[in-house]
Amino acid sequence: MIAKPPFVIGHRGACGHAPENTLGSIRKAAELGARWVEFDAMLSADDEIILFHDDALERITGRDGLTAETSFDVLRTLDAGSWFSHDFAAERIPTLMEAFTVLGELGLGAVVEIKPSDGRGVETGSLVAAAVRDHWPSHLPDPIISSFNEDGLAQALDHAPEIPRALNLYKSLDGWQDKMVTYDCVALHCLESLLNEADVAKIVRTGYDLRCFTVNEPARASELRSWGVASVFTDFPERI
Ligand code: G3P
Ligand code: MG
């Protein structure tokens, strides 16, 4: 089912209210009224697709080591919620399939961000794209696959050409048009502070959807919307 995302997209679930990239964070986003969420899809050492943002485990789990060097059965034992609040001590690092089940139950759309650990763009892109292609709940609106990683986007184009893609940018807008064409993207997702009104007008005139991260202030969200930004990723869906 093709349906454009709404203006508000929960960032890493609703990561202002619950530990990022957990099932609890996805549920919280829905509870707060979000109809779409974004999360980060990374590989464990044994190629399980998990929701996780960092190359290193320390910030979220307090454990030394790299995500890409840790097997899923070990990752699964780690506490992914206490760093945020002891109320979330039961949260575990979820698999992409578990996230799909929860999205299906809640009726949420999603931006699935391919988030490779350093040097793992090809494997992460190919496995995530194939998983979305083969297992996305058919009753939900079509998802969007996004990435900062060009190997990841190339793999998504190769393995799941029919699933819409978005190019993520956070350093600069340089070269965005060529990259959009190369990876046949339909949308540009960029750091909100990279944009001014003229940039937004130029991007929107080309026909691409433009979305921004991370926007937690309602006044900034209103300004971006008035310029033509289609959606914002926010940690606080209820604020926007
Ligand atoms: O997908 C948009 C946004 O999540 C990109 O930045 O670092 O939060 O994954 P990051
Ligand atoms: Mg992300």
Side-chain angles (χ1 to χ4, degrees), residues 114 125-126 129 145 150-163 165 179-185:
I114 297 169
S126 60
I145 294 178
E150 294 187 44
D151 287 336
L153 287 174
Q155 292 297 314
L157 175 59
D158 199 25
H159 291 274
E162 67 287 357
I163 299 175
R165 281 166 302 287
K179 291 177 187 172
M180 296 289 281
V181 171
T182 301
Y183 305 112
D184 194 16
C185 292

Short mmCIF file of all heavy atoms in Angstrom, two decimals, residues 114 125-126 129 145 150-163 165 179-185:
data_model
loop_
_atom_site.label_atom_id
_atom_site.label_comp_id
_atom_site.label_asym_id
_atom_site.label_seq_id
_atom_site.Cartn_x
_atom_site.Cartn_y
_atom_site.Cartn_z
N ILE A 114 19.17 1.83 7.13
CA ILE A 114 20.33 0.92 7.07
C ILE A 114 21.48 1.62 7.79
O ILE A 114 21.92 2.69 7.36
CB ILE A 114 20.71 0.61 5.61
CG1 ILE A 114 19.58 -0.13 4.88
CG2 ILE A 114 22.02 -0.18 5.56
CD1 ILE A 114 19.79 -0.23 3.37
N GLY A 125 23.30 -3.54 3.97
CA GLY A 125 22.33 -3.09 2.98
C GLY A 125 21.59 -4.25 2.33
O GLY A 125 20.36 -4.22 2.18
N SER A 126 22.33 -5.29 1.95
CA SER A 126 21.69 -6.39 1.24
C SER A 126 20.75 -7.17 2.16
O SER A 126 19.61 -7.50 1.78
CB SER A 126 22.72 -7.33 0.61
OG SER A 126 23.55 -7.88 1.59
N ALA A 129 17.64 -4.89 3.18
CA ALA A 129 16.72 -4.71 2.05
C ALA A 129 15.95 -6.00 1.77
O ALA A 129 14.72 -5.97 1.52
CB ALA A 129 17.49 -4.26 0.81
N ILE A 145 13.22 2.83 2.88
CA ILE A 145 14.56 2.43 3.31
C ILE A 145 15.48 3.62 3.13
O ILE A 145 15.52 4.22 2.04
CB ILE A 145 15.08 1.23 2.49
CG1 ILE A 145 14.23 -0.02 2.76
CG2 ILE A 145 16.54 0.96 2.80
CD1 ILE A 145 14.65 -1.24 1.95
N GLU A 150 26.40 4.81 1.29
CA GLU A 150 26.10 4.63 -0.13
C GLU A 150 26.15 3.16 -0.56
O GLU A 150 25.38 2.75 -1.43
CB GLU A 150 27.02 5.51 -0.98
CG GLU A 150 26.72 6.98 -0.72
CD GLU A 150 27.48 7.94 -1.63
OE1 GLU A 150 27.56 7.67 -2.85
OE2 GLU A 150 28.00 8.94 -1.11
N ASP A 151 27.01 2.37 0.05
CA ASP A 151 26.98 0.92 -0.24
C ASP A 151 25.62 0.34 0.16
O ASP A 151 25.05 -0.50 -0.54
CB ASP A 151 28.08 0.18 0.53
CG ASP A 151 29.46 0.44 -0.03
OD1 ASP A 151 29.56 0.79 -1.23
OD2 ASP A 151 30.44 0.32 0.73
N GLY A 152 25.12 0.81 1.29
CA GLY A 152 23.82 0.33 1.75
C GLY A 152 22.71 0.69 0.78
O GLY A 152 21.86 -0.14 0.45
N LEU A 153 22.72 1.92 0.29
CA LEU A 153 21.69 2.34 -0.66
C LEU A 153 21.81 1.57 -1.98
O LEU A 153 20.80 1.18 -2.58
CB LEU A 153 21.79 3.84 -0.93
CG LEU A 153 21.32 4.76 0.20
CD1 LEU A 153 21.61 6.22 -0.15
CD2 LEU A 153 19.83 4.57 0.48
N ALA A 154 23.05 1.34 -2.41
CA ALA A 154 23.25 0.58 -3.65
C ALA A 154 22.68 -0.83 -3.52
O ALA A 154 22.04 -1.36 -4.44
CB ALA A 154 24.73 0.53 -3.99
N GLN A 155 22.90 -1.44 -2.37
CA GLN A 155 22.36 -2.79 -2.14
C GLN A 155 20.85 -2.78 -2.07
O GLN A 155 20.18 -3.70 -2.55
CB GLN A 155 22.95 -3.36 -0.84
CG GLN A 155 24.42 -3.65 -0.90
CD GLN A 155 24.75 -4.73 -1.93
OE1 GLN A 155 24.08 -5.76 -1.99
NE2 GLN A 155 25.74 -4.49 -2.76
N ALA A 156 20.29 -1.73 -1.45
CA ALA A 156 18.83 -1.63 -1.38
C ALA A 156 18.25 -1.52 -2.79
O ALA A 156 17.24 -2.17 -3.11
CB ALA A 156 18.42 -0.45 -0.52
N LEU A 157 18.89 -0.72 -3.62
CA LEU A 157 18.42 -0.58 -5.01
C LEU A 157 18.51 -1.92 -5.73
O LEU A 157 17.62 -2.30 -6.50
CB LEU A 157 19.28 0.48 -5.72
CG LEU A 157 19.02 0.68 -7.21
CD1 LEU A 157 17.58 1.09 -7.49
CD2 LEU A 157 19.98 1.74 -7.78
N ASP A 158 19.56 -2.66 -5.46
CA ASP A 158 19.77 -3.93 -6.14
C ASP A 158 18.78 -5.02 -5.66
O ASP A 158 18.19 -5.73 -6.46
CB ASP A 158 21.21 -4.37 -5.84
CG ASP A 158 21.69 -5.40 -6.82
OD1 ASP A 158 21.17 -5.42 -7.94
OD2 ASP A 158 22.60 -6.18 -6.46
N HIS A 159 18.58 -5.10 -4.35
CA HIS A 159 17.81 -6.21 -3.78
C HIS A 159 16.32 -5.92 -3.62
O HIS A 159 15.52 -6.85 -3.53
CB HIS A 159 18.39 -6.62 -2.42
CG HIS A 159 19.73 -7.27 -2.55
ND1 HIS A 159 19.89 -8.61 -2.78
CD2 HIS A 159 20.97 -6.74 -2.51
CE1 HIS A 159 21.18 -8.89 -2.87
NE2 HIS A 159 21.85 -7.76 -2.71
N ALA A 160 15.98 -4.64 -3.52
CA ALA A 160 14.56 -4.30 -3.30
C ALA A 160 14.23 -3.00 -4.04
O ALA A 160 13.85 -2.01 -3.43
CB ALA A 160 14.28 -4.16 -1.80
N PRO A 161 14.38 -3.03 -5.38
CA PRO A 161 14.24 -1.77 -6.13
C PRO A 161 12.87 -1.13 -5.97
O PRO A 161 12.73 0.08 -6.10
CB PRO A 161 14.48 -2.20 -7.59
CG PRO A 161 14.30 -3.69 -7.60
CD PRO A 161 14.67 -4.17 -6.24
N GLU A 162 11.85 -1.95 -5.67
CA GLU A 162 10.48 -1.43 -5.58
C GLU A 162 10.20 -0.72 -4.27
O GLU A 162 9.18 -0.05 -4.13
CB GLU A 162 9.48 -2.57 -5.79
CG GLU A 162 9.44 -3.64 -4.69
CD GLU A 162 10.64 -4.60 -4.65
OE1 GLU A 162 11.53 -4.48 -5.53
OE2 GLU A 162 10.71 -5.44 -3.74
N ILE A 163 11.07 -0.86 -3.28
CA ILE A 163 10.85 -0.18 -1.99
C ILE A 163 11.49 1.21 -2.06
O ILE A 163 12.68 1.33 -2.38
CB ILE A 163 11.44 -1.00 -0.84
CG1 ILE A 163 10.74 -2.37 -0.80
CG2 ILE A 163 11.27 -0.26 0.49
CD1 ILE A 163 11.31 -3.33 0.21
N ARG A 165 13.43 4.58 -1.59
CA ARG A 165 14.69 4.86 -0.87
C ARG A 165 14.86 6.35 -0.59
O ARG A 165 14.39 7.19 -1.38
CB ARG A 165 15.91 4.39 -1.70
CG ARG A 165 16.19 2.93 -1.68
CD ARG A 165 17.16 2.51 -2.76
NE ARG A 165 16.67 2.88 -4.08
CZ ARG A 165 15.67 2.27 -4.71
NH1 ARG A 165 15.07 1.23 -4.15
NH2 ARG A 165 15.25 2.68 -5.88
N LYS A 179 23.70 11.96 -6.10
CA LYS A 179 23.48 10.75 -5.29
C LYS A 179 22.02 10.29 -5.37
O LYS A 179 21.75 9.08 -5.41
CB LYS A 179 23.88 11.02 -3.84
CG LYS A 179 25.37 11.18 -3.67
CD LYS A 179 25.75 11.53 -2.24
CE LYS A 179 27.24 11.85 -2.16
NZ LYS A 179 27.63 12.37 -0.85
N MET A 180 21.12 11.23 -5.41
CA MET A 180 19.70 10.86 -5.51
C MET A 180 19.45 10.06 -6.80
O MET A 180 18.72 9.07 -6.81
CB MET A 180 18.81 12.11 -5.53
CG MET A 180 18.86 12.93 -4.25
SD MET A 180 18.06 12.18 -2.86
CE MET A 180 16.35 12.53 -3.23
N VAL A 181 20.12 10.52 -7.89
CA VAL A 181 19.94 9.84 -9.17
C VAL A 181 20.62 8.47 -9.14
O VAL A 181 20.04 7.45 -9.54
CB VAL A 181 20.51 10.71 -10.32
CG1 VAL A 181 20.53 9.94 -11.63
CG2 VAL A 181 19.70 12.00 -10.45
N THR A 182 21.84 8.44 -8.60
CA THR A 182 22.61 7.18 -8.59
C THR A 182 21.84 6.07 -7.87
O THR A 182 21.82 4.92 -8.32
CB THR A 182 23.97 7.39 -7.88
OG1 THR A 182 24.68 8.40 -8.58
CG2 THR A 182 24.78 6.11 -7.84
N TYR A 183 21.21 6.40 -6.73
CA TYR A 183 20.55 5.37 -5.93
C TYR A 183 19.04 5.40 -6.11
O TYR A 183 18.31 4.74 -5.38
CB TYR A 183 20.96 5.52 -4.45
CG TYR A 183 22.46 5.50 -4.31
CD1 TYR A 183 23.16 6.64 -3.92
CD2 TYR A 183 23.18 4.36 -4.66
CE1 TYR A 183 24.55 6.63 -3.86
CE2 TYR A 183 24.56 4.35 -4.61
CZ TYR A 183 25.24 5.49 -4.21
OH TYR A 183 26.60 5.47 -4.17
N ASP A 184 18.59 6.15 -7.12
CA ASP A 184 17.17 6.23 -7.47
C ASP A 184 16.31 6.48 -6.23
O ASP A 184 15.36 5.75 -5.95
CB ASP A 184 16.75 4.94 -8.20
CG ASP A 184 15.40 5.10 -8.89
OD1 ASP A 184 14.94 6.25 -9.06
OD2 ASP A 184 14.79 4.06 -9.22
N CYS A 185 16.68 7.52 -5.51
CA CYS A 185 15.96 7.87 -4.27
C CYS A 185 14.76 8.75 -4.58
O CYS A 185 14.77 9.53 -5.53
CB CYS A 185 16.90 8.61 -3.31
SG CYS A 185 18.22 7.58 -2.67
#
